[in-house]
Amino acid sequence: MAASASSTFSQSLLSRAIPNHPATHNSALPPHSLSFLSAVKPSLPSARAAASSSRRRSTRSRSSCAVVRAAAVETLQKTDTELVEKSVNTIRFLAIDAVEKANSGHPGLPMGCAPMGHILYDEVMRYNPKNPYWFNRDRFVLSAGHGCMLQYALLHLAGYDAVKEDLKQFRQWGSQTPGHPENFETPGVEVTTAVGPLGQGIANAVGLALAEKHLAARYNKPDAEIVDHYTYVILGDGCQMEGIANEACSLAGHWGLGKLIAFYDDNHISIDGDTEIAFTENVDARFEALGWHVIWVKNGNTGYDEIRAAIEEAKAVKDKPTMIKVTTTIGFGSPNKANSYSVHGAALGSKEVEATRQNLGWPFEPFHVPEDVKKHWSRHTPEGAALEAEWNAKFAEYSKKYPEEAAELKSITTGELPSGWESALPTYTPESAADATRNLSQQNLNALATVLPGFLGGSADLASSNMTLMKAFGDFQKSTPEERNLRFGVREHGMGAICNGIALHSPGFIPYCATFFVFTDYMRGAMRISALSEAGVIYVMTHDSIGLGEDGPTHQPIEHIASFRAMPNIFMFRPADGNETAGAYKIAVESRKTPSVLALSRQKLPQLPGTSIEGVAKGGYVISDNSTGNKPDVILAGTGSELEIAAKAGDELRKEGKAVRVVSLVSWELYDKQSDEYKESVFPAGVTARVSIEAASTFGWQKFVGDKGKAIGIDKFGASAPAGKIYKEYGLTVEAVIEAAKSFF
């Protein structure tokens, strides 16, 4: 029964069951409110339609799944509409009960989105609950991560490891059901999403869908479709408001990601109230303009057949992503809080929970899963195992016919790097030509592209300046998805989040993205999620300091290095020359669960004696030293372009008979991981005469130079002038280092 057909009956019933509901006082409710009017006596889909949808889903499996498939179809053919509704309400009440027990969380979205969640996980998606990381699974992203109890309930019913006790420990210490979806905590969660960085999830999903399209284009054969899966998303009004969502969805439309299907939970409620106070644009028209296919499901509360039909229509559109706008009622079934902001981010309260139980006819105790619902969902375990076994058999045949392609794909799906890949990294000597580290980075990128099958990436409209084009490959475009250069346009935030999705699709994907270092301010949210979600993205950030010169302070990073050094689980590299650039790439490629930032120079730098790939792995190491017994007169430390300044100052001081140690601190994070014995060999505790130099904020350097040492840096904004002039005016010179060092003698 659609909302439009049932509105008269429902308003009449509502006036008796919910005296305080606005419908009893004003029949002129907003159009989106009408969907709530079937909450008391929701309509049910036909059993025939449910069985038909299940049969459609089952056809995606091949012969080796015949027995399981037939059993599943037979089971669903016997499923009546009452059981479908009971399953949907099970999802709702698992969410209600978990939020209530924690007295914290967001029950409204799970209550409204339970029907689409049920259809996706029970009827549409292909997955193996006992192996959440099976390669050819369909991916699901809850971009509106605050409604995570929806996903936890679905994972629980489907047989994942988010078991009942974890539901009871929602938002508690050590639980697999944290307050927002975290891929590193909960098996079955693909990416980390949240109410804070809303829009990250849909952008991650674009990356996941891009990865599938790319791999399918590279490895599928006319006689072997080895890559074939969909990416499904649920996003809300908040996601739609965030700019990152528009950036990513613009690219999804441009790239024609036909296996990306996004469900827009159109419930018109945000934390502050009805979205009419701040969000009145025509979302449908915007997405059509972005190149998406758009479908509107007007009754997302009980219109199961509408949702099923929308999914079928979306799958029939191969050349565009699809947005299915599903109009729902937030907090569906709650007599006094549905369709209001009060159900968005707080527990219902015991009285309203009881009222909701009565309203939806739910007589069960908290966290109860009825036996018939449990039995119905239990088929996903054998069916999922059969789907994976079938794919494994298909891949075995594929490997015999196409061994080279199979080896590459296996590297990407398992994360096993090709043997000897690191030998492709270039090495340099002091006699090698001076060059900007951005150019040296390009040499490394192109070397790695030839040996790493999962290496791909691009720039935010700055490829010719960031030097990030892979010369052996063309551009990933709608008609050439097999290529590996990604053109992101001026969309830094979306770029970072899309790369997170690529990295989390398969462990052997090594995505990189690039822009000017100062523009990390536009993508910091995505970079933080990289670190949090253990996505090993490589951030190639050029124009790293005042050394870029005339473009001035708008383009000159000052505090940026310090800010990334303060961020957990991210490597901040500032290489000084070719060997250090190669060393940074070696660590970045190997570190699949830690993202890396490479801050690279625009200006030319010499190839310094003493630098090495091996030294970079230590984070900090000695590049020159004329002292004996680990007792230098002074230690000079630097990074990037200023390491040359420290080295020259050391040479001058040695001419005066001083014992000088020069240290490169290319990555503080790696240095911090070294043993105390190693650290003592670099910075002996007995040597307090220490000077650091870096063309950036001095914040943090005290831990190396100590209370008695001197940190030379920049604690104000830059200026517009030739680089040499700025360095001189700001005191970043050999003479300044020598003067600071002599103050200790």
Side-chain angles (χ1 to χ4, degrees), residues 318-351:
K318 306 295 185 183
D319 62 341
K320 295 181 179 182
T322 295
M323 184 192 77
I324 304 174
K325 183 175 78 170
V326 186
T327 299
T328 66
T329 300
I330 190 171
F332 178 88
S334 170
N336 303 298
K337 294 189 176 183
N339 199 41
S340 72
Y341 70 90
S342 61
V343 78
H344 169 84
L348 293 178
S350 58
K351 290 183 179 179

Side-chain angles (χ1 to χ4, degrees), residues 25-40:
H25 304 293
N26 182 7
S27 60
L29 293 173
H32 60 266
S33 298
L34 294 178
S35 58
F36 172 70
L37 299 177
S38 58
V40 178

Side-chain angles (χ1 to χ4, degrees), residues 36 88-89 91-97 99 106-116 147 149-150 265 267 300-302 304 328-335 337-339 343-344 346-348 352-353 356-357 359-360:
F36 172 70
V88 170
N89 280 335
I91 297 164
R92 289 184 175 122
F93 280 98
L94 286 174
I96 290 170
D97 295 337
V99 172
H106 301 73
L109 182 145
M111 295 167 72
C113 291
M116 67 180 95
M149 268 310 308
L150 170 70
D265 177 26
N267 65 39
N301 297 324
T302 60
Y304 303 110
T328 66
T329 300
I330 190 171
F332 178 88
S334 170
K337 294 189 176 183
N339 199 41
V343 78
H344 169 84
L348 293 178
E352 189 64 15
V353 169
T356 304
R357 276 182 153 77
N359 192 31
L360 292 178

Side-chain angles (χ1 to χ4, degrees), residues 208-232:
L208 292 170
L210 179 153
E212 192 277 343
K213 186 179 179 77
H214 176 68
L215 293 179
R218 281 175 66 179
Y219 298 113
N220 283 350
K221 304 294 182 181
D223 63 340
E225 190 177 39
I226 204 70
V227 181
D228 175 26
H229 51 267
Y230 282 81
T231 301
Y232 298 96

